[in-house]
Amino acid sequence: MWQTFPPPSVPLFTPSRSVLMLNRRNMIKQGAHLAAASFCAAQSWSGTAFATASNSSVSSQTGPVPRTGGHVRAASTTGSLSDTLDPARQSMATDYMRGNMFYDGLVTLDETLTPRPALAESLESTDFKTWHIRLRSGVCFHDGAPLTSADVVYSILRHKDPTVGSQVHYQAMAMRTIRADGPLGVIIELDTANITFPSVLGLTNFAIIREGTTQFDKANGTGPFTCAAFQPGVRSLALRNANFWNPGGVWVDSLELISISDDMARHNALLSGDVDIIAAVDPRLVALVRKRGLAVMESPTGTYTNLAIRQDVGPGRNADFIRAMKLLFNREQMRDSIYLGYCRMGNDQPLPPEHRDFNTHLPQTRYDPEQAKFLLRRSGYLNQSLPPLICSPAANGSVEMAVLLQNDARRIGLQLDVRRMPADGYWSQSWMRFPLGFGNVNPRASADMTFALSFASTAPWNESHWRNAQFDQLLVLSRSEPDEAKRRALYDDMQTLIHTDAGIAIPTFITSLDGYHPRIRGLRPRQGGQLMGYNFARSIWVGETDTAGGQP
């Protein structure tokens, strides 16, 4: 019922230009919540069409039938006292995993980042500016209260409040009005048309909480697990929600999510059997993990580490300098020596090769030190003192990239001063603050979001401070273009502009590597990031120990 991507060969949503209008009725009153627990427990979901459409990858796979039961322990890469159960403020991988255990959004993103229905039964728009949302009936929060439009309005409006500290405040501010249309209807009016708006609602931070919630010492969502324990920076314990509205995607009885930031400690926990799943296997340890009889899942993602050359200060104001720096990236060497082949080649634009909107016509930027030397001499920077090249372990692989770049630059007479910053505080104190520095970007929910957040002239994370009026115009045009082929052509032009003109060098796209015990089944690669786009909890189940539950 919204414009689907890719074309609707999969019968999940039928594109529609009609508007869903609901008769306005009185909102469900607070007193009705007392009877909700029995209502939720009594619901029997026979919506086969929905289950087929929105279910996790488990049920769509041929092979053994998933079974219920078992306890699973998973280790993530991050954890601190700032860990939170407030979906609006979640900002790290562990937060996202935890959020997907306890909460649901209106929309979920599948393995190719295509929006699918979750709490929203339908989203419709005639102009891609005003969106009419129909909620599922019979969905309940963990405390038994039924889901209503008031909960959705409250949840989304919180993101617009600057005191909340929402991670999606920028996206929420594009929503001009959010209002209820009956107990199960919501109308969202945007400032401008955006055909990809359903993908925005698929962000984990836009999870729905109960109206009036201000305390988050415990999660009260509609998700597949209830929160039994939460210790910030240490662990979370989740118990299967017996009243979960979608029976096709939660199998284990309990799941313990543990924060182990030290790489070796996390790997040792898997090798010793202390945990069943770990995120972010080191490429250098993949062979060892597999040799021990454990499995590693390889997921092609849009995560990349990039060099950002600011175009408003220093040498980045010269186009020849930017081009020369891109030519100094020996991408094949970086692929083989830094990531040991567990990545795909980048081409100085932000969409990975497997992305449905990837521009296949762009010529690949190749390592060419002689041409780089010529451009640097012509620009006058070959023998000049340059700003330091900023890197940090916080940006995956950036320290190694900086050293390789320094060595190749030295061979042509360019002196690069590599300055390594500590991981702690890098994003708040160093990132985007220097003329030459590395960043790291996780997969975005859509091409539109990638362009809007990092490359538009007004983008909040425009690392190179690139300003291009033609690009901005193409972005606006693409958001109101209903024809997919025409919109794809606009995206191609935008990638070409970034590739040619922006001060961003993207040498590789990083493959996510996650390790697990063979008895864990249901894990499947996704483009959204580590451990199935942080949403593995809904798909895993405990099987036999003689075969692996995913990609070997």
Side-chain angles (χ1 to χ4, degrees):
M1 293 183 181
W2 62 59
Q3 193 74 25
T4 56
F5 311 105
S9 57
V10 181
L12 303 184
F13 289 101
T14 302
S16 172
R17 298 297 295 260
S18 63
V19 180
L20 174 66
M21 294 300 294
L22 303 177
N23 294 326
R24 187 172 296 277
R25 292 172 288 180
N26 293 330
M27 296 299 295
I28 295 176
K29 302 300 182 180
Q30 186 72 21
H33 291 164
L34 296 176
S38 59
F39 165 77
C40 294
Q43 288 298 307
S44 176
W45 291 99
S46 59
T48 304
F50 169 74
T52 302
S54 65
N55 196 8
S56 65
S57 61
V58 175
S59 63
S60 64
Q61 303 292 326
T62 59
V65 176
R67 61 184 186 183
T68 302
H71 175 71
V72 173
R73 304 186 77 203
S76 62
T77 59
T78 59
S80 71
L81 293 177
S82 63
D83 287 357
T84 179
L85 290 173
D86 182 352
R89 297 175 55 240
Q90 292 173 345
S91 62
M92 304 297 287
T94 308
D95 279 336
Y96 297 145
M97 294 177 196
R98 187 186 306 111
N100 284 321
M101 289 155 54
F102 301 137
Y103 300 101
D104 292 302
L106 296 172
V107 173
T108 188
L109 302 175
D110 71 7
E111 60 274 7
T112 63
L113 298 179
T114 301
R116 303 298 187 198
L119 295 181
E121 192 172 57
S122 65
L123 279 82
E124 297 183 342
S125 178
T126 58
D127 57 3
F128 311 123
K129 181 178 179 182
T130 301
W131 292 84
H132 296 258
I133 302 172
R134 177 73 180 180
L135 302 178
R136 299 190 177 282
S137 61
V139 177
C140 292
F141 290 95
H142 297 157
D143 66 359
L147 171 72
T148 73
S149 55
D151 303 307
V152 175
V153 172
Y154 175 80
S155 298
I156 297 177
L157 283 177
R158 286 187 74 239
H159 298 288
K160 303 184 76 168
D161 181 354
T163 65
V164 170
S166 171
Q167 296 296 312
V168 290
H169 176 76
Y170 179 82
Q171 291 91 330
M173 292 306 294
M175 304 180 205
R176 179 176 298 172
T177 61
I178 304 103
R179 65 185 188 274
D181 185 35
L184 295 177
V186 177
I187 300 175
I188 299 178
E189 182 182 0
L190 307 179
D191 285 334
T192 59
N194 187 354
I195 194 173
T196 68
F197 178 64
S199 294
V200 175
L201 295 179
L203 297 175
T204 303
N205 299 101
F206 278 115
I208 303 305
I209 60 176
R210 185 176 169 184
E211 181 187 16
T213 302
T214 58
Q215 300 298 317
F216 293 92
D217 54 325
K218 191 171 183 180
N220 180 29
T222 61
F225 294 90
T226 61
C227 181
F230 171 56
Q231 297 173 271
V234 182
R235 66 188 281 270
S236 303
L237 179 61
L239 304 180
R240 184 162 60 90
N241 179 10
N243 298 319
F244 184 42
W245 55 271
N246 181 3
V250 53
W251 309 101
V252 298
D253 286 337
S254 57
L255 173 61
E256 189 174 5
L257 183 62
I258 307 165
S259 300
I260 307 179
S261 57
D262 182 83
D263 283 347
M264 288 310 302
R266 192 171 62 258
H267 286 78
N268 285 335
L270 177 67
L271 294 172
S272 66
D274 289 337
V275 299
D276 305 293
I277 303 170
I278 64 168
V281 172
D282 190 311
R284 295 168 296 183
L285 297 178
V286 169
L288 172 63
V289 170
R290 287 174 169 162
K291 185 177 180 180
R292 296 285 187 89
L294 302 170
V296 176
M297 178 173 66
E298 302 175 27
S299 301
T301 72
T303 301
Y304 63 82
T305 293
N306 61 283
L307 172 63
I309 306 169
R310 285 185 55 171
Q311 295 175 270
D312 59 335
V313 295
R317 289 176 292 186
N318 186 291
D320 281 348
F321 178 83
I322 293 175
R323 181 62 180 165
M325 293 299 291
K326 292 179 180 180
L327 293 172
L328 278 177
F329 273 85
N330 190 332
R331 296 158 201 259
E332 289 83 359
Q333 183 183 25
M334 291 179 177
R335 177 194 61 198
D336 296 338
S337 64
I338 299 175
Y339 299 108
L340 303 186
Y342 294 109
C343 65
R344 287 93 63 226
M345 294 289 289
N347 197 22
D348 303 328
Q349 63 82 23
L351 300 186
E354 64 277 356
H355 197 285
R356 58 178 169 267
D357 295 316
F358 175 73
N359 187 338
T360 59
H361 307 296
L362 275 178
Q364 176 65 51
T365 303
R366 299 290 182 185
Y367 175 59
D368 191 341
E370 290 306 313
Q371 179 65 12
K373 183 177 182 178
F374 168 78
L375 293 171
L376 288 166
R377 181 180 289 114
R378 188 170 72 177
S379 65
Y381 284 104
L382 187 61
N383 298 309
Q384 295 236 354
S385 176
L386 295 175
L389 178 60
I390 306 301
C391 61
S392 170
N396 188 333
S398 68
V399 175
E400 294 85 350
M401 285 184 185
V403 171
L404 292 177
L405 195 62
Q406 182 186 48
N407 291 336
D408 285 322
R410 185 182 297 118
R411 294 189 181 99
I412 63 171
L414 180 68
Q415 298 301 315
L416 290 178
D417 174 23
V418 173
R419 188 170 301 176
R420 174 173 172 162
M421 300 296 191
D424 187 28
Y426 180 73
W427 301 114
S428 60
Q429 300 172 23
S430 300
W431 180 55
M432 293 180 60
R433 295 178 181 269
F434 292 87
L436 301 174
F438 282 92
N440 180 260
V441 177
N442 287 322
R444 306 292 190 197
S446 65
D448 174 86
M449 196 177 300
T450 299
F451 299 145
L453 292 178
S454 298
F455 295 96
S457 294
T458 58
W461 301 307
N462 188 331
E463 294 178 271
S464 68
H465 294 246
W466 181 55
R467 304 288 186 269
N468 188 292
Q470 181 185 0
F471 180 90
D472 296 339
Q473 184 181 26
L474 291 172
L475 180 61
V476 172
L477 290 173
S478 68
R479 289 180 162 183
S480 57
E481 177 52 67
D483 185 277
E484 185 174 358
K486 293 179 180 178
R487 189 170 59 255
R488 177 77 178 271
L490 294 173
Y491 287 162
D492 280 356
D493 290 343
M494 294 161 76
Q495 291 170 72
T496 299
L497 287 172
I498 295 172
H499 169 88
T500 304
D501 298 336
I504 296 291
I506 303 174
T508 60
F509 289 93
I510 304 169
T511 298
S512 175
L513 302 171
D514 302 305
Y516 60 100
H517 192 282
R519 66 174 170 270
I520 302 301
R521 314 295 297 275
L523 288 171
R524 295 292 183 272
R526 287 196 174 195
Q527 293 181 18
Q530 60 183 229
L531 286 174
M532 300 184 68
Y534 315 108
N535 206 10
F536 72 102
R538 297 170 186 249
S539 298
I540 59 172
W541 54 285
V542 180
E544 302 296 332
T545 59
D546 57 343
T547 57
Q551 187 175 353

